[in-house]
Amino acid sequence: MKIKLIYSLVCFLFLGNMLAQQTPAPKQTQDYSIEGATAHLGNGEVIENSLIMFSKGKIEFVGSAKMKIARMGTVINARGKHVYPGFIAANTSLGLAEIDAVRATRDVDEVGTMLPHIRSIIAYNTESKVVETMRPNGVLMAQVAPRGGVISGTSSVVQLDAWNWEDASIKTDDGIHMNWPNAFSRGRWWMGEDPGLKPNKDYQKSIEEFKDFFANAKSYLASNKSTKNLPYESLQGVLNGSQKMFVHVSGKKGITDAVNTCKELGIKNIVIVRGQEAEKVADLLNANNIPVILERAHRLPNGEDTDYDRPYRAAKLLADAGILVGLGMEGEMERMSTRNLPFYAGTYAAYGLDKEKAVQLITGNNAKILGIDDKVGTLEVGKDATLFISEGDALDMRTNILNEAFIQGRKISLESHQTKLWKRYSDKYKNQ
């Protein structure tokens, strides 16, 4: 019996090692110098023939390789290649679900409508097989956000090579996510209604419920709090400005109403998420210093009279209007598709946005919007050495081929279950 038990444990441990994610890289102990690459700094600037040096997880030097300066530690010859800051995916549910068809692996939302106290970071799974597929494309950080309800809960920003959520966290509980009601609804054809768009008769009622919830929270926070109310207490950050309110809304009317309602409630730090038609209210957004996290470009236009390529030009329209724009991943297959983040930015570049501004969408801009630009997002002295080397243009899926990647100076693995399968079957067909 003991022998059977021992064999069972050995098999269990073996399978666990086979199925588990790679062991996270240890802290940086060896200095690195990356020499000769074209450096895309993440702020719109480019340095040809660059030199980037980092030590103990921090960038120590960024400049020209022509400078006569002693190189630090191991020198990586990156001539003909490109260096980028680690890409940041905003507004994802990465790590909150593994297999869409298996309910037990999905932890993206909770029962209820007003849930500001729900913390997505607690459910973040660092062992996710989906998470490890991000790194080979340069996606090294993500904002993990909840879904569902009217107020979904809080998001947190993580780096994607960690033992647990505490290790992963770059910024915990950075903001609360709220789903603004739709101003229009489609008729339910199965109930004999006209299938076209029509005004949502419950729109104003939903707004009033949102306002009432905040009014009650303010009264609670100003009281003696003899009875603890966790949802109300969780709103203190967005009311005093220490947390951001990420309002998921589209349409000119919806965005206008959302901004004015939040201002009325005293919510100071607002971010518009999705933001279709946001360029139509650019003056309102600029006047209130409100950024926009766009959706993926690969989608159909909303209106019947909308230009066919309007979704592809959205980033340029907003950037030209002077709005700070980032790129998020909400939508169908969002967790698996997050690895394609750089290619969605590339689509915006193909439709008029300057290439370096497209890089900014998923580096410097996303870092500013998420409040982590003091640590990451650009290649600057003093910031985390979270960066990667690509053989070519990282926004082009044909040339986004990573050679090296570092998170906080730690040289990370670029292997995933997908790369292992690719090598396995490549070998199979080579031998035929």
Side-chain angles (χ1 to χ4, degrees):
M1 186 67 183
K2 288 184 178 179
I3 293 175
K4 287 184 179 179
L5 180 60
I6 291 170
Y7 279 134
S8 298
L9 287 172
V10 170
C11 289
F12 178 77
L13 291 171
F14 176 76
L15 288 172
N17 286 329
M18 290 291 289
L19 295 173
Q21 193 184 41
Q22 297 94 355
T23 300
K27 284 186 178 181
Q28 181 186 4
T29 57
Q30 181 180 4
D31 296 345
Y32 286 97
S33 298
I34 302 173
E35 184 175 9
T38 298
H40 305 261
L41 303 189
N43 58 6
E45 297 180 24
V46 176
I47 301 177
E48 303 286 349
N49 189 21
S50 68
L51 174 63
I52 298 170
M53 300 190 288
F54 51 98
S55 174
K56 298 178 182 178
K58 298 293 183 180
I59 297 175
E60 298 287 341
F61 179 86
V62 178
S64 171
K66 295 179 181 179
M67 293 186 65
K68 297 186 183 300
I69 183 173
R71 276 42 173 170
M72 298 174 62
T74 299
V75 177
I76 300 174
N77 183 351
R79 288 180 178 83
K81 299 178 182 178
H82 297 254
V83 177
Y84 294 85
F87 292 152
I88 307 165
N91 186 33
T92 77
S93 57
L94 193 64
L96 300 183
E98 192 70 3
I99 304 170
D100 288 349
V102 180
R103 178 65 186 89
T105 73
R106 305 197 307 267
D107 204 4
V108 297
D109 58 10
E110 295 290 341
V111 176
T113 55
M114 302 294 187
L115 305 169
H117 57 297
I118 297 299
R119 303 177 67 218
S120 62
I121 189 66
I122 299 299
Y124 176 68
N125 177 21
T126 56
E127 294 288 340
S128 169
K129 285 288 187 181
V130 180
V131 168
E132 72 177 13
T133 66
M134 305 297 117
R135 302 191 299 253
N137 281 357
V139 181
L140 306 183
M141 293 162 284
Q143 181 196 38
V144 179
R147 302 285 182 243
V150 176
I151 300 178
S152 307
T154 66
S155 58
S156 292
V157 185
V158 298
Q159 52 87 4
L160 304 183
D161 184 63
W163 287 100
N164 50 46
W165 69 262
E166 291 97 334
D167 288 340
S169 181
I170 295 175
K171 187 170 185 178
T172 304
D173 300 326
D174 67 305
I176 290 177
H177 291 250
M178 185 266 176
N179 297 299
W180 193 257
N182 290 321
F184 298 91
S185 62
R186 292 191 179 275
R188 297 166 294 184
W189 59 267
W190 59 92
M191 296 185 68
E193 297 175 356
D194 181 356
L197 279 176
K198 57 184 178 181
N200 179 5
K201 63 181 184 342
D202 295 324
Y203 178 66
Q204 198 58 44
K205 177 184 175 183
S206 298
I207 295 175
E208 292 304 319
E209 289 175 352
F210 174 69
K211 291 167 70 173
D212 288 345
F213 185 76
F214 265 82
N216 292 336
K218 284 183 177 180
S219 297
Y220 167 82
L221 293 170
S223 70
N224 293 326
K225 307 180 187 66
S226 57
T227 303
K228 192 176 184 67
N229 187 305
L230 193 56
Y232 290 162
E233 287 197 5
S234 299
L235 292 176
Q236 189 161 4
V238 294
L239 289 171
N240 65 25
S242 62
Q243 276 185 318
K244 297 189 177 184
M245 175 64 90
F246 293 87
V247 185
H248 299 234
V249 59
S250 284
K252 180 179 178 180
K253 176 174 175 55
I255 295 171
T256 302
D257 290 345
V259 171
N260 290 334
T261 300
C262 286
K263 287 174 61 181
E264 179 186 335
L265 294 171
I267 300 172
K268 305 176 178 66
N269 213 339
I270 308 165
V271 177
I272 296 299
V273 182
R274 292 204 304 265
Q276 295 171 26
E277 297 187 350
E279 74 279 359
K280 295 181 179 179
V281 290
D283 290 343
L284 175 67
L285 298 178
N286 282 323
N288 292 281
N289 195 28
I290 298 174
V292 175
I293 295 177
L294 274 179
E295 295 179 285
R296 292 171 274 180
H298 297 184
R299 53 185 169 81
L300 294 172
N302 276 359
E304 293 180 357
D305 298 327
T306 306
D307 294 344
Y308 75 94
D309 60 352
R310 167 62 183 73
Y312 303 110
R313 295 186 290 110
K316 177 174 170 53
L317 293 172
L318 291 173
D320 288 350
I323 296 169
L324 178 63
V325 190
L327 181 54
M329 287 301 304
E330 186 176 358
E332 294 184 5
M333 296 289 290
E334 64 180 85
R335 291 170 292 281
M336 296 73 175
S337 295
T338 299
R339 65 178 178 269
N340 294 322
L341 178 76
F343 313 138
Y344 294 125
T347 297
Y348 284 125
Y351 281 80
L353 188 67
D354 177 79
K355 178 61 72 70
E356 294 308 313
K357 286 186 177 180
V359 171
Q360 283 182 262
L361 293 179
I362 53 177
T363 53
N365 287 10
N366 267 355
K368 286 180 184 177
I369 293 170
L370 301 182
I372 55 173
D373 54 311
D374 60 329
K375 300 175 184 175
V376 294
T378 55
L379 299 177
E380 294 182 61
V381 173
K383 291 193 177 182
D384 288 355
T386 299
L387 50 90
F388 65 89
I389 304 171
S390 174
E391 289 190 8
D393 181 356
L395 303 192
D396 186 337
M397 65 177 62
R398 296 168 300 180
T399 54
N400 180 323
I401 303 171
L402 269 63
N403 300 131
E404 309 276 2
F406 301 84
I407 293 179
Q408 297 164 343
R410 300 177 294 115
K411 186 175 180 180
I412 65 169
S413 169
L414 294 174
E415 286 290 337
S416 71
H417 66 287
Q418 292 180 337
T419 59
K420 288 175 183 175
L421 287 171
W422 172 66
K423 291 175 182 176
R424 176 184 173 189
Y425 284 98
S426 293
D427 290 340
K428 174 187 175 182
Y429 290 108
K430 283 178 184 176
N431 296 328
Q432 286 185 347

